[in-house]
């Protein structure tokens, strides 16, 4: 399990140590937002987009990511919506978190959609710094196991519709090479 800490996050060192003792890997990143969780059963999408090819607005980009998830939920019969707290919500429970970074209108980081993940990890943190709301998953909301493998084609379909684009699939070795290079650059920039 990985706990991510945004650049504005002020998680205390003793809390970090407590999370590590529970088995979490802890990473500080340069994305917006506060502490969050990534783990198995969660669809994590970090689109790398030059917004100059779309619209030079970070708010527009966040709105489009939210719209993608809302359309996924709608297809599955889930009533999801936006909130001033950012992300996508089913009533007072967050189903998808958004934490992005943009430099010269090129985006990194993105969204995490709770498909069929262990939600108990969220009990150990205040996800995105929000204390008085819960989390949910596609599986919880539909009563059907929604694996990331089953949800990925639905995600890509709605992403392509919302962004009016085509996605490209890369083989695993090329993905790793690209992501390792980006991760190293991001970590250097975050220091």
């Amino acid at each position: 399990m990985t706990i991510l800490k945004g650049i504005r996050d002020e998680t205390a060192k003793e809390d970090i140590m407590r999370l590590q003792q529970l088995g979490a890997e802890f990473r500080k990143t340069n994305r917006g937002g506060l502490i969050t969780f990534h783990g198995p059963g969660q669809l994590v999408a970090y689109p790398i987009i030059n917004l100059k090819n779309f619209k030079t607005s970070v708010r527009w980009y966040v709105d489009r990511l939210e719209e993608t998830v809302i359309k996924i939920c709608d297809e599955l019969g889930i009533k999801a919506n936006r909130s001033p707290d950012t992300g996508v919500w089913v009533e007072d429970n967050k189903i998808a978190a958004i934490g992005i970074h943009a430099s010269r209108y090129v985006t990194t980081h993105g969204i995490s959609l709770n498909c069929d993940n262990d939600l108990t990890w969220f009990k150990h943190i205040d996800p995105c710094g929000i204390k008085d709301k819960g989390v949910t998953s596609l599986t919880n909301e539909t009563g059907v196991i929604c694996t990331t493998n089953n949800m990925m084609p639905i995600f890509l379909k709605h992403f392509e519709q919302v962004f009016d684009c085509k996605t490209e699939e890369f083989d695993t070795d090329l993905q790793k090479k690209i992501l390792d290079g980006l991760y190293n650059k991001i970590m250097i920039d975050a220091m």
Side-chain angles (χ1 to χ4, degrees), residues 37-71:
F37 160 82
H38 289 329
Q42 193 178 52
L43 193 156
V44 178
Y46 282 6
I48 302 167
I49 295 176
N50 186 335
L51 292 177
K52 292 175 184 174
N53 296 321
F54 294 89
K55 185 172 183 178
T56 53
S57 167
V58 172
R59 181 65 239 163
W60 174 87
Y61 177 62
V62 170
D63 181 74
R64 300 290 77 206
L65 290 175
E66 290 170 339
E67 185 65 22
T68 299
V69 174
I70 289 169
K71 286 184 175 294

Side-chain angles (χ1 to χ4, degrees), residues 13 16 28 33 35 40 42 55 58 71 86 90-91 106 118 145 153 155 164 189:
K13 188 171 183 128
I16 293 170
K28 186 172 183 172
I35 193 168
Q42 193 178 52
K55 185 172 183 178
V58 172
K71 286 184 175 294
T86 306
V90 177
E91 297 177 1
V106 175
D118 179 2
I145 296 174
F155 170 80
D164 190 24
D189 291 347

Side-chain angles (χ1 to χ4, degrees), residues 2 7 15 20 25-26 55 72 77 79 81-82 85 97 108 118 124 134 139-140 143 157 162 166 170 178 187:
T2 301
I7 54 176
D15 288 333
Q20 289 171 328
E25 181 180 332
F26 203 88
K55 185 172 183 178
I72 294 167
K79 173 74 173 118
N81 54 63
R82 291 176 179 84
D85 293 314
T108 55
D118 179 2
H124 301 287
T139 294
N140 280 4
K157 174 180 76 174
V162 168
K166 290 284 182 202
F170 298 116
I178 291 168
M187 293 312 294

Side-chain angles (χ1 to χ4, degrees), residues 107-174:
T107 67
T108 55
H109 301 285
I111 68 167
S112 57
L113 173 61
N114 296 328
C115 292
D116 188 40
N117 49 310
D118 179 2
L119 299 176
T120 59
W121 278 96
F122 290 104
K123 293 179 181 179
H124 301 287
I125 62 172
D126 293 325
C128 304
I130 302 168
K131 298 176 190 274
D132 59 344
K133 300 202 177 167
V135 292
T136 191
S137 68
L138 296 175
T139 294
N140 280 4
E141 296 301 320
T142 63
V144 176
I145 296 174
C146 297
T147 67
T148 55
N149 285 341
N150 292 341
M151 294 301 106
M152 183 59 77
I154 298 169
F155 170 80
L156 291 173
K157 174 180 76 174
H158 290 294
F159 184 90
E160 288 178 349
Q161 288 172 349
V162 168
F163 282 87
D164 190 24
C165 70
K166 290 284 182 202
T167 57
E168 289 185 54
E169 191 169 327
F170 298 116
D171 67 60
T172 305
D173 289 338
L174 182 55

